[in-house]
Amino acid sequence: MVKQARAARTREALIVAAAEVFADNGYALASLPAVSKRAGVSTGALHFHFASKEALAREVEGAAADVVGKMAAGCRGDADTLLQSLVDATCRLLAAVAGDPVVRAGFKLSHDPSLKGGGEAGGLVRWWCEWVRDLIVQAGEEGELAGGVSPEDAAAAVVAATVGFETLSGWDLEWVSLERTARFWTFLLPLLAASPQQVRVEPGGTGGTGATGGAGGPEAGDEAAG
């Protein structure tokens, strides 16, 4: 049991370290020695858990998708309306991009052409596009959109803004600040919502503090590769 717990801590440390390296350098320039050094583990321990850089990148993508999926589901469950859940989800998502290296790396890897299938499959970015579109279509069916608003156009605007903010945050984190997100929704809601006064914009979303529950964990010591 002690060995299993140590192995789990090492794996989590490697995922977080890899996310930081991928987020900082991109997939092509990231190296496994840099990941093991940042995680504080031996290269043998790294190869014990992950056979290749691509396998490690896919694990980071999966961890990010898990965090964002749970966050989005929580927003749907907590909010009174569909548009409120959309506002809350974007607030929490961009806060996670700023504060959680796993989420930040997951988005970056999903449109990194140097990762096989990254630029083609879309990964987390594609999932987010589909989630936003489905939610706004449902909001239109429920009468939450203003008259004449096209759900497709509204979804395109929200996706373009959020993914654009995430991309721009690579050189300036102000693009994913709570203030920037609030200003975006203050501008958009009167155009989008049938009753904009009923949709609130609050830091971290209306359902909680916006903690993402990422893969961050305690530091891990070296683990034998056997």
Side-chain angles (χ1 to χ4, degrees):
M1 292 296 293
V2 173
K3 186 175 181 179
Q4 291 177 346
R6 186 177 65 179
R9 289 196 301 270
T10 298
R11 187 178 182 87
E12 290 298 302
L14 285 167
I15 292 171
V16 174
E20 293 171 350
V21 173
F22 289 137
D24 290 345
N25 302 326
Y27 179 78
L29 296 179
S31 70
L32 293 182
V35 172
S36 61
K37 181 178 180 180
R38 186 170 298 205
V41 304
S42 67
T43 55
L46 187 153
H47 287 290
F48 174 77
H49 288 281
F50 301 101
S52 66
K53 184 169 73 168
E54 182 177 350
L56 186 52
R58 296 304 183 192
E59 188 71 18
V60 171
E61 284 189 294
D66 184 58
V67 171
V68 175
K70 289 178 179 177
M71 177 205 68
C75 290
R76 286 292 300 270
D78 292 340
D80 295 330
T81 65
L82 292 164
L83 286 183
Q84 185 67 68
S85 67
L86 177 62
V87 172
D88 291 350
T90 55
C91 288
R92 295 187 192 183
L93 175 70
L94 294 176
V97 169
D100 186 336
V102 172
V103 173
R104 185 161 62 252
F107 270 98
K108 187 166 186 174
L109 289 169
S110 70
H111 53 78
D112 189 329
S114 63
L115 175 60
K116 184 184 299 184
E120 178 182 352
L124 191 52
V125 169
R126 175 167 291 187
W127 182 90
W128 174 249
C129 292
E130 293 174 352
W131 187 85
V132 170
R133 179 189 176 280
D134 290 346
L135 189 144
I136 291 182
V137 167
Q138 292 178 49
E141 294 170 350
E142 294 293 326
E144 293 186 29
L145 300 183
V149 170
S150 161
E152 293 289 343
D153 292 344
V158 173
V159 167
T162 51
V163 175
F165 290 164
E166 177 270 324
T167 300
L168 290 166
S169 71
W171 58 271
D172 185 354
L173 281 176
E174 193 276 333
W175 283 100
V176 289
S177 67
L178 293 173
E179 180 184 359
R180 172 74 69 174
T181 309
R183 286 164 55 193
F184 165 72
W185 278 114
T186 298
F187 169 77
L188 188 61
L189 277 172
L191 305 174
L192 179 65
S195 302
Q197 70 279 4
Q198 295 181 2
V199 184
R200 294 164 290 162
V201 182
E202 299 180 6
T206 59
T209 61
T212 60
E219 295 182 359
D222 284 357
E223 179 183 353

